[in-house]
Amino acid sequence: MRISTKKKAPKGTVSVQVFKDRLRLCWSYCRKRYFLYIGLPDSNVNRIVAEQKAKQIAGDMATGNFDSSLKKYKIEYQQYSPTTIPKLFKRFTAEKAKEVSPKTVEKYRATLGYLDRYFGDAGAESINNLKAEDFARHLKEKSLSPNQCKRRLEELKACWNWAIAKNLISPENPWIEVAKRVKVPPKQKPKPFSKEEIGAIEQGFRTDRYYSYYADFVQFLFGTGCRTGEAIGLRWKHLSDNCSTVWIGESVSRRIRKSTKTNRARTISLTPRLQVMLLKRKPTNADPEDLVFRSAGGKVIDDQNFRNRAWIKVLTRIGIEYRKPYTTRHSLISHALDLGMNPVNVAQLTGHDVRTLYENYAGNVNSRSLLPEL
């Protein structure tokens, strides 16, 4: 919003103006005209800074404490080292890589590729709302889905927030509003596996000549509803001596061990069927640090390799419609709700908050609200 300089302000008023795309203050005192250049571009945040300074000057004029040299009113602001947009995002990615999953880092690198090609050596300080909107349009023109566009813009918003907190750039985030405007259409929830399909899949793995060594792993996924990475990272020390309970507080993805997705641990009681399976699987002198489930070569299970080779091939062979291995988790939650389990208890077992459970996983028939018969 630009303030017109033509309208004369009342006596004793300090006006906030825009001059050459920068904010300045203008006022008169003792028949002399004064200007104070703020040195910041016009934005909602910077206007608050300017208005606060304007109130200080107006107050000093009213009380006879005005400093005509203007030294008292000079605004000290950070001088930022120039950096390009791709370099800033690359630094942000390196920082986030310490705490996020390798999958997330891969998404950041994809965004970096778009920034490199579109902005080149453009400086981070050159980005304003208009240029942010142009980049959002560019992403849409590249046939990215609304979800992909929004994710990349949200990453840029997070990058700028991080850089502002580190005093690397000026305190304005041009990505906030443009990220808000991208609307992601609702996505149909995955269809849970039926009880018959679950039984067929488990049996399909047990009788498969190539992938039978994954049968216990698949049974554990269906039986606990845990995340795939949580089952991959399970160690014998996480199970009680008689395998009646399991502690889930770690996850493995791309061979990297970390905390669970929500950074919260949970201990759950296992069914007798799962307990028997685990006791049969447990070595006589099991090393507490050893993994419970391994690949055929005795290594850490690679979730992509498991899905692309074992999971897809077994489901195809037994004639069951493909759904991601993660649907084992959705299936347990859906059947638990169908059986009338308290959603709070289901959330505790699976490591969700109740709202997330309802929004993302309660796709089963019996847990939905039913229309009345009229």
Side-chain angles (χ1 to χ4, degrees), residues 84-96:
T84 67
I85 296 162
K87 283 182 179 177
L88 182 68
F89 193 80
K90 193 173 184 179
R91 186 172 172 182
F92 166 73
T93 300
E95 188 75 18
K96 296 297 286 184

Side-chain angles (χ1 to χ4, degrees), residues 269-286:
S269 298
L270 299 175
T271 62
R273 183 166 175 261
L274 285 174
Q275 183 182 9
V276 169
M277 178 271 288
L278 289 164
L279 285 172
K280 286 182 179 178
R281 186 179 185 83
K282 188 177 182 181
T284 304
N285 297 309

Side-chain angles (χ1 to χ4, degrees), residues 57-302:
I57 296 169
D60 282 359
M61 288 192 295
T63 57
N65 295 312
F66 177 69
D67 178 9
S68 59
S69 71
L70 304 187
K71 290 181 180 179
K72 181 179 180 181
Y73 311 114
K74 293 290 183 183
I75 296 177
E76 298 292 333
Y77 60 93
Q78 175 78 38
Q79 294 292 331
Y80 303 100
S81 300
T83 186
T84 67
I85 296 162
K87 283 182 179 177
L88 182 68
F89 193 80
K90 193 173 184 179
R91 186 172 172 182
F92 166 73
T93 300
E95 188 75 18
K96 296 297 286 184
K98 301 173 185 176
E99 57 187 72
V100 299
S101 70
K103 286 183 181 178
T104 303
V105 174
E106 287 174 16
K107 292 173 184 176
Y108 287 156
R109 286 174 181 155
T111 301
L112 179 60
Y114 283 100
L115 295 174
D116 262 326
R117 291 187 289 272
Y118 186 81
F119 288 113
D121 293 330
E125 288 290 333
S126 71
I127 290 294
N128 53 28
N129 291 338
L130 211 56
K131 291 182 179 179
E133 289 172 4
D134 288 342
F135 182 67
R137 278 193 291 272
H138 169 73
L139 292 178
K140 291 177 184 177
E141 290 167 1
K142 289 294 181 181
S143 300
L144 268 67
S145 68
N147 184 55
Q148 290 172 319
C149 284
K150 190 172 186 69
R151 184 172 65 233
R152 281 169 170 75
L153 294 172
E154 289 286 353
E155 288 168 3
L156 286 164
K157 183 180 77 171
C159 173
W160 253 246
N161 283 338
W162 167 83
I164 290 168
K166 295 279 187 181
N167 280 325
L168 300 176
I169 56 174
S170 57
E172 299 173 69
N173 193 331
W175 303 103
I176 294 175
E177 292 303 318
V178 71
K180 278 183 185 176
R181 282 196 286 272
V182 178
K183 303 299 180 185
V184 178
K187 188 177 180 181
Q188 186 176 4
K189 302 296 186 294
K191 184 173 72 173
F193 290 107
S194 67
K195 291 181 180 179
E196 292 73 23
E197 286 176 322
I198 292 171
I201 293 170
E202 289 187 11
Q203 184 63 19
F205 270 94
R206 295 210 177 276
T207 57
D208 193 275
R209 62 180 294 190
Y210 299 109
Y211 302 113
S212 58
Y213 53 86
Y214 282 127
D216 289 349
F217 176 67
V218 170
Q219 183 184 339
F220 189 83
L221 288 174
F222 274 121
T224 61
C226 68
R227 300 175 180 91
T228 310
E230 293 170 346
I232 291 172
L234 192 68
R235 288 171 165 158
W236 287 113
K237 69 177 182 180
H238 298 148
L239 288 153
S240 61
D241 291 340
N242 64 355
C243 295
S244 62
T245 62
V246 61
W247 178 87
I248 297 177
E250 295 177 350
S251 178
V252 170
S253 177
R254 304 295 187 270
R255 300 183 184 278
I256 296 176
R257 183 171 291 272
K258 58 178 183 176
S259 177
T260 60
K261 185 177 180 180
T262 58
N263 202 36
R264 290 181 299 193
R266 61 193 187 277
T267 299
I268 57 178
S269 298
L270 299 175
T271 62
R273 183 166 175 261
L274 285 174
Q275 183 182 9
V276 169
M277 178 271 288
L278 289 164
L279 285 172
K280 286 182 179 178
R281 186 179 185 83
K282 188 177 182 181
T284 304
N285 297 309
D287 185 337
E289 298 298 324
D290 276 353
L291 293 171
V292 175
F293 305 109
R294 289 183 177 273
S295 68
K299 297 180 179 179
V300 178
I301 294 173
D302 182 285

